[in-house]
């Protein structure tokens, strides 16, 4: 038999003009039912909530149209997303409402990398805002709210290592960058992340959790795991009840100049939980529209507003290495600043906030 990409453990499935042929197609549909409705009584109790499909572009469209109907007949709320690392134009046929709910939004990751991580080739606030707008408007109405917004995955270096290697190349140049970001690459920096690197990561998480779309957290990022591209990004998860030796070797087993402690970053973990709670507690961050408020290219200040019915949330990001004053024009009233749990009163339709370097604030009008 023919192995997929020459991998003997993964036999190629036969396809015709309608995609995977009847025998293996039925097998896949049966497996889908087994995991979504393990009791087999149509209740879906104990079943999984959705699917992420690897290399979805290698199976023809008619198969996915049939498979979607099967999935949604079991659970209409099931979330299905495809791994497609390509242009917006290439993604569009998969996102017409009859195949996938979303694709892994690598284009979001590419733009965020250029804005938050790149140093020498960092894009302006204005360009970043334009790129995000283009992505929001690229697909049929509503798709932008479920796109799988990620920063890293099992096919990339981890986010913290990407920040450490900030000028390694352009993430969006996928093929070249994929090789550059492997641990075996001579140019790769295997250093453990610094506090400044973690600050950059926190600012990106604030953006991800307040932006339009479905935030994806790659396991272990929330506790500070780092690593180069495959296989270093697939290290075992860190757990509180296990004591780990320091990481002291390169992937080729030569010794690092400085070993790195391996342990859970409790502060980062709490930061993730705080932002997840902020998103879950405020419907505007899930369903609200998006309005750009500030694109200050000189000071690297970016501010936007999310509105849903009577709820308004304002997000301000300072992507510079200096504390900055930011004037916001607001309706009079009482606001809560959710990152620091403080109350602000606005009496003259504007307020000046001091935003720490590489940090942000989230305001909600009460």
């Amino acid at each position: 038999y023919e192995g997929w990409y020459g991998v003997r453990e993964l036999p190629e499935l036969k396809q015709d003009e309608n995609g995977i042929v009847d025998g293996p197609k039925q097998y896949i549909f049966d497996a889908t039912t087994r995991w979504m409705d393990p009791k087999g009584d149509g209740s879906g109790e104990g079943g999984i909530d959705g699917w992420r499909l690897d290399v979805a572009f290698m199976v023809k469209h008619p198969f996915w149209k049939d498979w979607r109907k099967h999935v949604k007949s079991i659970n209409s709320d099931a979330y299905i997303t495809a791994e497609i690392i390509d242009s917006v134009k290439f993604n569009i046929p998969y996102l017409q409402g009859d195949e996938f709910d979303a694709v892994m939004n690598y284009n979001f990751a590419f733009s965020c990398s250029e804005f938050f991580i790149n140093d020498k080739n960092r894009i302006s606030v204005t360009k970043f805002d334009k790129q995000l707008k283009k992505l929001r408007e690229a697909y049929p109405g509503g798709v932008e709210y479920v796109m799988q917004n990620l920063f890293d995955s099992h096919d990339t270096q981890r986010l913290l290592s990407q920040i450490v290697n900030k000028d390694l190349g352009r993430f969006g140049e996928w093929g070249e960058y994929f090789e550059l970001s492997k641990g075996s690459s001579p140019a790769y920096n295997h250093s453990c992340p610094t506090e400044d690197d973690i600050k950059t990561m926190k600012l990106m998480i604030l953006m991800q959790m307040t932006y339009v779309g479905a935030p994806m957290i790659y396991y272990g990022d929330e506790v500070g795991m780092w690593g180069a591209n495959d296989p270093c990004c697939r290290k075992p998860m860190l757990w509180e009840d296990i004591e780990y030796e320091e990481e002291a070797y390169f992937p080729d087993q030569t010794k690092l100049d400085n070993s790195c402690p391996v342990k859970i970053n409790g502060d980062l973990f709490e930061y993730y939980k705080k932002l997840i709670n902020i998103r879950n507690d405020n419907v505007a961050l899930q369903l609200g529209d998006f309005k750009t408020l500030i694109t200050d290219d000189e000071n690297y200040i970016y501010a936007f507003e999310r509105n849903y019915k009577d709820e308004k949330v304002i997000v301000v990001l300072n992507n510079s290495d200096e504390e900055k004053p930011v004037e916001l024009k607001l309706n009079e009233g009482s606001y809560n600043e959710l990152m620091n749990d403080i109350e602000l009163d606005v009496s003259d339709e504007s307020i000046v906030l001091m935003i720490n370097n590489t940090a942000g604030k989230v305001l909600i009008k009460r």
Side-chain angles (χ1 to χ4, degrees):
Y1 60 87
E2 183 179 349
W4 179 77
Y5 272 79
V7 179
R8 294 289 291 172
E9 294 83 359
L10 297 174
E12 278 277 5
L13 302 181
K14 187 176 181 180
Q15 294 196 62
D16 59 19
E17 67 276 6
N18 294 314
I20 297 170
V21 297
D22 289 344
K25 178 179 180 179
Q26 188 59 50
Y27 180 84
I28 293 167
F29 277 45
D30 290 344
T32 300
T33 303
R34 183 260 178 270
W35 289 106
M36 293 188 70
D37 186 26
K39 290 187 175 181
D41 59 5
S43 68
E45 186 178 345
I48 66 170
D49 297 314
W51 298 88
R52 174 263 185 201
L53 279 299
D54 204 62
V55 291
F57 57 91
M58 300 193 79
V59 176
K60 294 179 181 177
H61 289 285
F63 176 87
W64 292 128
K65 296 180 194 301
D66 290 345
W67 184 76
R68 177 189 178 87
K69 292 174 185 174
H70 181 61
V71 168
K72 299 293 184 176
S73 71
I74 301 170
N75 177 2
S76 60
D77 289 331
Y79 179 66
I80 51 177
T81 181
E83 183 214 29
I84 302 174
I85 308 170
D86 213 309
S87 66
V88 165
K89 183 179 179 181
F90 189 89
N91 291 339
I92 285 175
Y94 296 91
L95 298 171
Q96 297 300 306
D98 59 350
E99 293 188 32
F100 291 93
D101 297 319
V103 300
M104 297 178 74
N105 201 1
Y106 275 97
N107 290 302
F108 169 80
F110 298 156
S111 292
C112 287
S113 177
E114 290 181 333
F115 180 65
F116 291 107
I117 297 177
N118 286 12
D119 190 8
K120 294 178 182 177
N121 299 308
R122 179 172 295 183
I123 60 174
S124 68
V125 184
T126 299
K127 186 171 183 179
F128 180 55
D129 182 59
K130 286 180 178 178
Q131 289 182 358
L132 293 179
K133 184 175 187 289
K134 184 177 179 181
L135 287 176
R136 287 195 307 275
E137 296 177 351
Y139 306 111
V143 170
E144 67 271 26
Y145 286 90
V146 294
M147 285 291 278
Q148 191 179 356
N149 290 345
L150 69 153
F151 292 134
D152 56 356
S153 75
H154 65 295
D155 281 327
T156 76
Q157 61 183 328
R158 283 193 175 268
L159 177 56
L160 277 173
S161 289
Q162 186 183 157
I163 295 168
V164 169
N165 288 271
K166 60 184 64 177
D167 288 316
L168 185 65
R170 289 189 66 246
F171 193 8
E173 294 171 354
W174 177 255
E176 179 182 351
Y177 194 78
F178 187 87
E179 295 299 324
L180 283 173
S181 58
K182 284 185 175 180
S184 56
S185 171
Y188 199 79
N189 182 355
H190 290 270
S191 301
C192 41
T194 65
E195 285 302 315
D196 283 343
D197 297 327
I198 291 170
K199 282 187 71 173
T200 299
M201 181 179 184
K202 284 182 172 180
L203 183 62
M204 294 177 73
I205 299 309
L206 196 161
M207 166 68 187
Q208 183 190 34
M209 292 296 168
T210 56
Y211 186 63
V212 179
M216 171 195 142
I217 303 168
Y218 183 48
Y219 83 93
D221 282 355
E222 73 277 18
V223 295
M225 289 179 66
W226 73 90
N229 202 344
D230 189 11
C232 302
C233 57
R234 307 189 188 199
K235 297 173 188 174
M237 180 63 183
L238 299 184
W239 303 108
E240 288 183 343
D241 59 344
I242 298 177
E243 192 170 319
Y244 301 91
E245 294 181 6
E246 291 193 346
E247 187 167 304
Y249 295 91
F250 288 108
D252 66 2
Q253 298 307 296
T254 55
K255 203 160 179 27
L256 288 165
D257 293 334
N258 298 299
S259 59
C260 297
V262 179
K263 60 182 180 180
I264 286 176
N265 185 323
D267 174 70
L268 183 60
F269 186 48
E270 292 303 317
Y271 184 85
Y272 264 93
K273 289 200 292 184
K274 184 181 186 72
L275 273 163
I276 290 169
N277 282 328
I278 287 173
R279 183 179 181 87
N280 287 341
D281 290 345
N282 296 281
V283 179
L285 296 178
Q286 303 162 46
L287 302 176
D289 59 16
F290 183 95
K291 179 183 177 182
T292 301
L293 297 179
I294 299 173
T295 53
D296 183 344
D297 291 334
E298 181 179 352
N299 293 298
Y300 270 91
I301 300 296
Y302 186 41
F304 56 86
E305 183 178 286
R306 304 289 309 278
N307 289 281
Y308 184 76
K309 296 183 178 178
D310 295 330
E311 186 176 286
K312 175 185 290 190
V313 178
I314 296 166
V315 180
V316 187
L317 308 176
N318 176 5
N319 192 30
S320 77
D321 56 8
E322 296 179 3
E323 184 183 46
K324 302 283 185 181
V326 178
E327 182 177 7
L328 290 173
K329 298 188 182 303
L330 303 173
N331 295 330
E332 291 186 16
S334 179
Y335 292 78
N336 283 4
E337 200 290 291
L338 302 178
M339 297 305 296
N340 299 292
D341 300 315
I342 58 175
E343 190 168 305
L344 303 169
D345 289 317
V346 178
S347 57
D348 56 1
E349 296 191 351
S350 72
I351 189 171
V352 176
L353 301 174
M354 294 303 298
I355 312 292
N356 289 338
N357 67 299
T358 323
K361 293 187 184 295
V362 180
L363 282 71
I364 184 167
K365 191 175 191 300
R366 298 299 184 190

